[in-house]
């Protein structure tokens, strides 16, 4: 398996997750405000994060269906969120992007910086043509972030997901390589 790509931005380092990151990840994955829009219940322990979330990050790489980076601030190695691709279809040159961030770091441009870097990696290194995002209609911060990156809202997908014992609607957003505003 090739080396996991490290992505560096002005303020961030995006790197591969390690088992040692479970405690830092638990700090935000146990927060209902963070995980509700991901369709998850808050994690109950750092060992659950290790056994479920971190193992999922590893499995999507092995299966070839995605890649997920943990987000760290440049001056520390502490994980404050993650960003990456899932539901990747290499044959169709598309993937879905997902991201989350510790609530302490919301509204500081960190998610935007990480998402932009991951998008650029997807277009330059993964041969993607289309990047999709599925967003809860109540998640206004994520919608704003995606629109700032140039994503277009394509429409409402009715009863697209089943979370917390009920069906929920989501918005489908997409960004085509030709519309990505950062020079590739």
């Amino acid at each position: 398996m090739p080396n996991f790509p490290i992505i560096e931005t002005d303020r961030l380092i995006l790197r591969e997750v390690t088992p040692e990151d479970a405690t830092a990840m638990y700090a935000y994955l146990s927060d209902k405000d963070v995980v509700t829009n991901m369709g998850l219940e808050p994690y109950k322990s750092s060992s659950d994060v290790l056994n479920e979330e971190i193992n999922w990050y590893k499995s999507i790489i092995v299966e070839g269906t995605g890649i997920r980076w943990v987000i760290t601030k440049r001056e520390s190695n502490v994980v404050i969120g993650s960003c990456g691709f899932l539901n990747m279809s290499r044959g169709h040159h598309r993937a879905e992007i997902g991201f989350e961030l510790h609530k302490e770091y919301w509204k500081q441009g960190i998610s935007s910086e990480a998402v932009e870097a991951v998008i650029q990696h997807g277009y330059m290194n993964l041969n993607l043509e289309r990047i999709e995002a599925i967003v809860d209609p109540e998640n206004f911060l994520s919608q704003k972030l995606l629109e700032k990156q140039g994503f277009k809202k394509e429409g409402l997908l009715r009863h697209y997901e089943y979370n917390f014992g009920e069906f929920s609607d989501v918005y489908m957003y997409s960004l085509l390589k030709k519309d990505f505003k950062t020079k590739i």
Side-chain angles (χ1 to χ4, degrees):
M1 178 180 291
N3 288 340
F4 191 95
I6 295 172
I7 301 174
E8 296 188 35
T9 69
D10 290 342
R11 298 184 293 167
L12 309 172
I13 296 176
L14 284 68
R15 61 164 174 81
E16 185 173 18
V17 70
T18 68
E20 293 75 27
D21 296 322
T23 301
M25 293 172 69
Y26 175 69
Y28 61 86
L29 291 173
S30 61
D31 185 332
K32 186 175 181 176
D33 291 338
V34 174
V35 298
T36 297
N37 289 321
M38 298 166 60
L40 300 174
E41 291 286 343
Y43 279 94
K44 304 273 191 252
S45 70
S46 59
S47 64
D48 288 343
V49 171
L50 175 63
N51 294 327
E52 295 172 33
E53 194 76 3
I54 291 176
N55 284 341
W56 176 70
Y57 289 15
K58 301 285 188 185
S59 74
I60 62 174
I61 292 171
V62 170
E63 295 163 3
T65 59
I67 183 170
R68 192 88 172 189
W69 289 265
V70 291
I71 302 168
T72 65
K73 294 200 74 177
R74 198 174 260 289
E75 66 270 9
S76 72
N77 195 30
V78 177
V79 176
I80 60 171
S82 80
C83 184
F85 297 118
L86 61 151
N87 298 325
M88 188 178 296
S89 172
R90 295 206 186 262
H92 294 289
H93 304 275
R94 72 171 178 251
E96 181 182 328
I97 196 166
F99 52 91
E100 81 278 334
L101 190 67
H102 192 297
K103 191 165 49 177
E104 181 180 321
Y105 299 96
W106 288 5
K107 297 184 181 180
Q108 297 176 29
I110 291 171
S111 288
S112 203
E113 189 173 326
V115 165
E116 183 173 326
V118 167
I119 290 169
Q120 185 162 348
H121 181 86
Y123 289 139
M124 291 181 67
N125 303 103
L126 301 177
N127 199 26
L128 296 178
E129 172 62 23
R130 174 186 167 93
I131 297 174
E132 302 170 340
I134 304 292
V135 184
D136 184 302
E138 300 297 313
N139 190 345
F140 303 112
L141 288 176
S142 288
Q143 290 176 55
K144 183 178 175 183
L145 182 154
L146 292 168
E147 290 167 3
K148 180 180 171 191
Q149 293 294 334
F151 280 78
K152 305 289 186 227
K153 186 188 295 184
E154 294 185 332
L156 182 70
L157 303 177
R158 300 178 315 141
H159 286 206
Y160 189 77
E161 293 184 336
Y162 187 78
N163 298 316
F164 312 114
E166 63 185 34
F167 290 99
S168 57
D169 300 341
V170 296
Y171 285 130
M172 168 65 81
Y173 279 81
S174 72
L175 179 66
L176 302 181
K177 184 176 184 177
K178 69 181 180 73
D179 297 331
F180 185 48
K181 65 183 176 195
T182 300
K183 296 283 185 208
I184 297 177

